[in-house]
Amino acid sequence: MARASIAMDVIEEDPRKHGRLTDEDDSHPLIKYYKATTLIPDKPPPLHRLLDRQPAAWASVQITSGILSFGLGVVFAVVFGIDQFLLTLFRVPLLTGIMFLVAGFLSNLLYKHPGLLQVCFCSNILCLVVASVGAVLLCVDLATPQPDKLHFQVEIVVLCVTLLDMVVSAILIIFMHAEKRNVEKNRE
C-alpha cells in the first residue's frame, strides 16, 4: 500500500469566468482542484540496489543445487566405500550441500532482514572456499583411474553441481560486496 505526505495547494476555478453562470446565480459551488506543490522523492528501502538484482532468485538456485549436492553425497556415501575416493572420504557433497542450503536460506531472508547482509556475505565466501576445495578433490579423483563408468559419470555430475554452486556464490558475493560499498559510501 502506497502512502504520501505531500503539501497541496488549492486551486479554485470560478465558473463565471467561462461565461456559464451570471452574477445573480450563486447557487453553484466553485470548483476546487488539488495540486501538489512539490514532489518529495521516496526514501529507498534498505539494500535497494541489491534487492533490484534479485538475490532471492539466486538464493533459490543455491538452495536447489545444495539439495542436489546433498542427495548426491548421500548416494556416494551409501554406494561407494569410504576409503575408495577422496570425495567420499571427506564427504565433500554432503558438506557443500548443507552449506549451500544454509547460505541460500540466509540470502532469501535479506529482503525481510537487511541486517543479515554481513552474515550472508561471510557464509557465501565460506561456501565458495569449501566448494573450491571440493572441486580440487573431485578433479584429483577424476584424474585417478576409475573402477567403473558409473562412478565416473556420477562424479562428473557432482563436479558440475559444485561448479554451479561456486558460480552462484561468486555472483552473490559480488552483489553483496557492491551493496556493502554503496552503504559505506552513503554513510560518509
Side-chain angles (χ1 to χ4, degrees):
M1 184 169 166
R3 73 172 171 93
S5 175
I6 301 173
M8 302 290 252
D9 283 342
V10 177
I11 302 171
E12 296 181 6
E13 182 179 314
D14 190 359
R16 286 175 274 189
K17 181 171 65 174
H18 298 291
R20 288 184 230 143
L21 296 175
T22 61
D23 287 337
E24 296 86 30
D25 190 12
D26 286 335
S27 61
H28 296 290
L30 296 175
I31 299 173
K32 294 182 181 181
Y33 296 99
Y34 294 96
K35 181 180 176 185
T37 54
T38 59
L39 295 176
I40 302 169
D42 236 358
K43 180 182 174 188
L47 307 179
H48 174 69
R49 286 183 52 203
L50 177 65
L51 294 177
D52 279 347
R53 295 177 178 167
Q54 301 295 325
W58 292 103
S60 298
V61 171
Q62 202 173 29
I63 290 170
T64 305
S65 61
I67 291 170
L68 181 60
S69 182
F70 184 78
L72 288 170
V74 169
V75 168
F76 259 95
V78 170
V79 174
F80 301 109
I82 195 167
D83 58 343
Q84 290 179 343
F85 306 105
L86 293 175
L87 179 72
T88 54
L89 179 64
F90 293 112
R91 307 282 189 216
V92 173
L94 291 172
L95 182 62
T96 57
I98 291 170
M99 290 181 69
F100 281 106
L101 276 170
V102 171
F105 282 126
L106 287 174
S107 297
N108 266 332
L109 289 174
L110 275 177
Y111 182 74
K112 294 277 186 185
H113 305 285
L116 289 175
L117 180 65
Q118 183 66 31
V119 174
C120 291
F121 183 69
C122 291
S123 68
N124 278 300
I125 287 176
L126 184 63
C127 285
L128 185 63
V129 168
V130 171
S132 300
V133 170
V136 168
L137 291 174
L138 283 164
C139 290
V140 168
D141 268 352
L142 289 172
T144 59
Q146 302 296 322
D148 59 352
K149 189 172 177 118
L150 176 66
H151 176 267
F152 180 75
Q153 292 171 343
V154 173
E155 205 161 7
I156 291 289
V157 170
V158 172
L159 181 62
C160 291
V161 170
T162 304
L163 292 176
L164 173 69
D165 287 336
M166 290 172 62
V167 168
V168 170
S169 282
I171 289 170
L172 283 170
I173 288 169
I174 290 168
F175 288 167
M176 290 177 194
H177 182 66
E179 185 63 31
K180 283 175 56 173
R181 276 197 332 242
N182 186 36
V183 168
E184 290 170 1
K185 187 190 303 183
N186 288 340
R187 284 184 189 167
E188 294 175 355

